[in-house]
Amino acid sequence: MGADALRPRREMLAPVTEHSKPTKMAIAARSDNGAPPLISIVAPCYNESETVDLFVGAIDKILADADFVSEIIFVDDGSSDDTRERLSRLAASRDNIRAVVLSRNFGKEAALTAGVDHARGDAVIVMDVDLQDPPELVLDFVRKWRDGYDVVYAAREDRQSDTAAKRATANWFYRLFNKMSAIKIPENAGDYRLMDRRVVEHIKALPERSRFMKGLFAWVGFNSVGVPYVRPERAAGESKFNFWKLWNFAIDGFTSFSTAPLRVWTYFGLLIAVASILYAMVIILQTLIFGIDVPGYASLLVFILFFGSIQMISVGILGEYLARLFAEVKQRPIYIVDDIIGGPQNG
Ligand code: UDP
Ligand code: MG
């Protein structure tokens, strides 16, 4: 406290910019207040009965002699196996473990939102429960956070643990996303990250129902830094994401952060209009020079089918946005809590 009180006032006004060095204000906020900070670890679980105990074991080992206090917030995202029972047992056995049980499966993004909403830490770490997000990084995250960074994310060095097809589609997704959206998301970052309390408060204040968390994390900004790591295989159980789920997830991402798919049709239409006028001129000239000649059944058919499908695609894209607008307008909650097990019961 003492040293902090003596800092000149103007340092408190230091600007906070994206990807800048930590400000003195941020550094000061992480120290000098006596009590060790509370770090919340948020882990969404969907049918993870095989991994939750492994997860707690790994976290305990890493944090055995940490100089900060921690809590684990599990979110049971409507599991149909015995994940809920296992989480209840864990939550009952210790007061730094809580389980937020959702009323059904709302999806990972909603589960993450629920976990972040229930975390009380000075910093919040979100991570998968299958140990693909290595717990060792937690210590690096906290170190960087104490250095004054507001966001510390895990940057995977390679994707060897993914199949070639998943690697290729992920690459393609990030490249396209970053081209189309004004908000850039780091290509090699997943959800695994630490966020300072003030970042968390901004994320919590975002009202949208469509929770593309990677995008929202990037959207709020603040100074961030990556910690490189190699992503291991799942500790047990299997991935909850198939191709179709990932495809829909990608569409959610694009439509939440870019209007380019809506606007591209205007330009496409203009281009085709110009091409049509040129083609009409060619036909007029041909007729004037060579007289009337009416073959062209095949080319006519191709043009009709082509423009028919282009129109359907553009209407379909309108529909994607309309459907999302509909979901936002309805203002349904992002998730519903069935039960909260364990932890301090005062909030
Ligand atoms: N998950 C969730 N709800 C879902 C799907 C997944 O909470 O509907 C959780 C899952 O339990 C895990 C994390 O999200 O902790 C990542 O899922 P997974 O490991 O299956 O994804 P992958 O690593 O294969 O991308
Ligand atoms: Mg996984």
Side-chain angles (χ1 to χ4, degrees), residues 128 130 132 231 234 239:
D128 292 353
D130 59 4
Q132 284 198 286
R231 192 163 176 85
R234 221 175 203 284
S239 173

Side-chain angles (χ1 to χ4, degrees), residues 112-262:
L112 274 179
T113 306
V116 168
D117 285 351
H118 286 84
R120 302 150 194 244
D122 302 303
V124 176
I125 295 176
V126 295
M127 65 196 288
D128 292 353
V129 82
D130 59 4
L131 297 178
Q132 284 198 286
D133 294 338
E136 309 83 85
L137 292 191
V138 166
L139 298 178
D140 297 321
F141 282 6
V142 173
R143 208 168 301 129
K144 291 267 190 225
W145 173 67
R146 281 179 159 150
D147 287 346
Y149 287 98
D150 293 301
V151 177
V152 191
Y153 62 88
R156 35 162 101 180
E157 291 210 298
D158 72 343
R159 285 180 162 261
Q160 290 313 317
S161 61
D162 284 343
T163 61
K166 191 165 176 183
R167 274 206 300 275
T169 43
N171 248 337
W172 169 87
F173 169 78
Y174 285 113
R175 242 187 255 151
L176 198 63
F177 185 98
N178 287 337
K179 273 227 169 72
M180 288 188 346
S181 159
I183 299 299
K184 310 292 171 221
I185 46 182
E187 273 188 40
N188 49 1
D191 290 326
Y192 189 22
R193 66 187 57 225
L194 172 147
M195 290 170 287
D196 182 61
R197 172 50 56 188
R198 58 198 188 122
V199 179
V200 170
E201 290 306 320
H202 286 292
I203 299 236
K204 281 166 73 175
L206 295 177
E208 57 226 271
R209 314 286 111 176
S210 164
R211 309 298 285 186
F212 182 69
M213 294 306 271
K214 268 192 261 292
L216 299 183
F217 291 151
W219 188 87
V220 295
F222 291 101
N223 58 60
S224 37
V225 65
V227 174
Y229 80 111
V230 176
R231 192 163 176 85
E233 304 273 345
R234 221 175 203 284
E238 48 195 52
S239 173
K240 310 298 181 290
F241 289 92
N242 54 27
F243 177 76
W244 188 239
K245 262 197 179 178
L246 286 173
W247 170 255
N248 283 323
F249 184 56
I251 293 181
D252 262 348
F254 287 137
T255 51
S256 300
F257 284 89
S258 173
T259 50
L262 282 174

Side-chain angles (χ1 to χ4, degrees), residues 38 40-42 71-75 98-102 110-121 124 197 200-201 204 335-344 346-347:
L38 172 64
S40 301
I41 295 174
V42 167
E71 63 168 6
I72 303 179
I73 316 286
F74 285 113
V75 181
R98 282 205 291 165
V100 177
V101 181
L102 303 187
L112 274 179
T113 306
V116 168
D117 285 351
H118 286 84
R120 302 150 194 244
V124 176
R197 172 50 56 188
V200 170
E201 290 306 320
K204 281 166 73 175
Y335 57 86
I336 295 175
V337 175
D338 175 2
D339 197 7
I340 297 178
I341 306 160
N346 54 356

